[in-house]
Amino acid sequence: MRTLLCSALIGLFLAPVVHGNPLADGIATATGLGTADPGMARNRVHGKMLARRAAVADAQRALLEVVQGVRITSGTTVKDAQLESDVIANRVKGLLRNYFTLSENLTEEEGTWLAEVTLGICVSRTAPPCKNSPTINEAVFDQLKRTVPSGLYRSSATPETSFSGLVVDLTESDFVPLLDARLVDGSGKELYGPGHYKGRGGDWLHWARSVEQAERNHEVVGSTPLVVKATTSPGEPGIALGDADAEQVFAADAGSQFLAEGRVILVTN
């Protein structure tokens, strides 16, 4: 009864709207809608306030669902990780308290106020509003499993210094973005995973919707990235390179050390 009364006082909730792909966009967003009950509003200003408050509460609920649904591995979501780790649970709660408003709109409809508010939280620091903000990547990064040395890829290839970063083209596969997406060769030896990254903020993976978009992102991969095609590998970790591409990536990184700086962009549909 108390919950129903609180909702009535705040306003009426409508169906929230969820946007895009949080990993590809760098921001998890959701839009909430709310309208004030005219009988609860003392005046027009109070009606606006109640409608906006309802919209924000609606967006917060939807944003929680978006964040908890972000995949960490192919079989684990942020929600699963929260149940298994108090560290991740507390960090995600902190992120949700740091939401920000991306847009809001207030209109009068049939004698009452309708509010629409879009909220966001940062997945990575790629998005402009997130350059100095805590992120979902950061919340889970140090909890990701590190591959033991015997599971890492090794090659005697001559170091190559021509490349400033790595673009992995997954557009011909059915790969779905996740926070723990590792690169392996055909035998499953890891070329790139969280243990390779030595940079700031847990942004060891970045995303793009086309190879051209990735190549233009000089801030991440520099002006001369190496571009390779990859396929979806059965089971974890999910991204497999051909033997020749694996050797070229290893040689390029041996010469330029771009993996340690997280200069990697994965391209998905």
Side-chain angles (χ1 to χ4, degrees), residues 14-19 29-35 48-63 99-107 114-120:
L14 302 175
V17 180
V18 175
H19 307 277
T29 64
T31 297
L33 303 172
T35 182
K48 290 180 182 180
M49 181 187 71
L50 292 178
R52 185 185 185 280
R53 188 184 303 172
V56 169
D58 201 30
Q60 286 175 319
R61 290 188 295 112
L63 198 55
Y99 70 83
F100 49 90
T101 302
L102 289 168
S103 66
E104 58 182 280
N105 187 44
L106 196 64
T107 58
L114 175 66
E116 177 180 302
V117 177
T118 299
L119 304 180

Side-chain angles (χ1 to χ4, degrees), residues 138-150:
E138 190 174 25
V140 305
F141 174 70
D142 63 2
Q143 303 293 301
L144 300 179
K145 182 179 178 181
R146 269 52 174 175
T147 300
V148 298
S150 61

